Amino acid sequence: MSFRASVVTLFPDLFPGPLGASVIGRGMEKGAWSLETHFLRDYARDRHRTVDDTPSGGGAGMVLRPDILAAALDDVAPGEDPRPKIVMSPRGRPLTQARVRDLAAGPGAVIVCGRFEGMDQRVIDARNLEEISIGDYVLAGGEVAAMVLLEAVVRLLPGVLGAAESHADESFENGLLEYPQYTRPQAFEGHEIPEILTSGDHGRIERWRREQSEALTRQRRPDLWARYTQKP
């Protein structure tokens, strides 16, 4: 069973974008995952194909209508579709590598890309949409955020990135940031590759990498370091 992604968006032409390139695109070509887009205006009910309206209570901007979004979601994921329904939102829970792994282990995802001032809360509640954020900032819409989520997930699927070992030492996989990486030439602008990495002593190399990961995490991400040191 391949991972199946369905994206509800006002800008379907933005896809696949970077998801069609490199190993992610090749994974799609090989059938490891699939991507379909659904144009939200196709579910509008008037000749102007209106999908939004003014916010109740006043305020700037426009809000996506719940009836239009519900019609789209019910068509894209009818009945007992087991895929989680996600909306990319700056107020959502931060995307983590743990959530990415959970999604990669499942059948796929239905992702709604917001626009304007957001969407009516009632459709979020009624369709049990999971709100996910990719960071503490605001984008013009959810399309780029959806691509971030999908790239993070798809690269973990079997046969997409390559050897399973490729994932093991990456940032966040073990609760730490990744250690520094080096390659040839041996000398670059007066700086040498650390001697230990060319020693051939794999035990020492592993310990050095762990120490580097711990130091970087402690310096740059004290929030991650606190969680790491509190693990049982």
Side-chain angles (χ1 to χ4, degrees):
M1 178 181 64
S2 63
F3 183 94
R4 186 164 67 96
S6 298
V7 178
V8 178
T9 172
L10 282 168
F11 296 94
D13 291 345
L14 292 178
F15 294 86
L19 299 174
S22 188
V23 294
I24 306 299
R26 288 197 293 273
M28 188 188 302
E29 293 172 359
K30 292 190 296 185
W33 75 290
S34 65
L35 172 66
E36 57 187 37
T37 57
H38 301 266
F39 188 26
L40 184 57
R41 292 197 189 278
D42 287 343
Y43 299 91
R45 298 170 181 174
D46 65 333
R47 62 189 181 90
H48 299 295
R49 307 180 85 187
T50 305
V51 299
D52 58 347
D53 210 329
T54 55
S56 298
M62 304 291 282
V63 177
L64 291 173
R65 290 174 45 149
D67 53 341
I68 307 302
L69 279 169
L73 287 166
D74 293 346
D75 179 58
V76 172
E80 299 302 318
D81 191 316
R83 295 176 296 167
K85 299 179 182 69
I86 296 167
V87 57
M88 309 309 301
S89 167
R91 73 178 196 180
R93 290 180 178 174
L95 181 63
T96 65
Q97 192 66 16
R99 185 66 182 115
V100 165
R101 286 195 299 269
D102 289 343
L103 289 169
V110 178
I111 305 173
V112 179
C113 300
R115 281 276 159 176
F116 315 124
E117 293 302 310
M119 61 188 63
D120 191 298
Q121 182 66 38
R122 291 171 295 177
V123 74
I124 296 174
D125 297 337
R127 295 301 182 272
N128 194 29
L129 300 183
E130 176 186 359
E131 296 183 75
I132 291 180
S133 169
I134 62 166
D136 294 339
Y137 46 86
V138 180
L139 301 172
E143 285 76 16
V144 172
M147 292 177 193
V148 169
L149 183 149
L150 286 173
E151 179 165 323
V153 171
V154 169
R155 63 189 297 278
L156 297 184
L157 299 177
V160 173
L161 189 61
E165 294 80 12
S166 300
H167 306 298
D169 294 325
E170 293 175 335
S171 292
F172 312 115
E173 282 293 348
N174 58 6
L176 297 170
L177 299 181
E178 188 177 5
Y179 48 78
Q181 296 279 10
Y182 298 87
T183 188
R184 290 175 291 184
Q186 176 68 28
F188 170 69
E189 296 184 352
H191 298 278
E192 299 276 338
I193 296 173
E195 175 276 332
I196 193 170
L197 296 179
T198 57
S199 68
D201 188 330
H202 296 294
R204 287 181 61 212
I205 291 172
E206 184 175 349
R207 288 192 297 274
W208 180 88
R209 286 175 168 170
R210 169 66 65 165
E211 290 166 358
Q212 292 292 310
S213 287
E214 290 179 347
L216 282 170
T217 305
R218 187 169 56 248
Q219 293 164 9
R220 299 182 182 181
R221 290 293 302 273
D223 57 323
L224 291 178
W225 180 248
R227 287 200 294 271
Y228 176 76
T229 55
Q230 290 169 6
K231 289 191 304 184

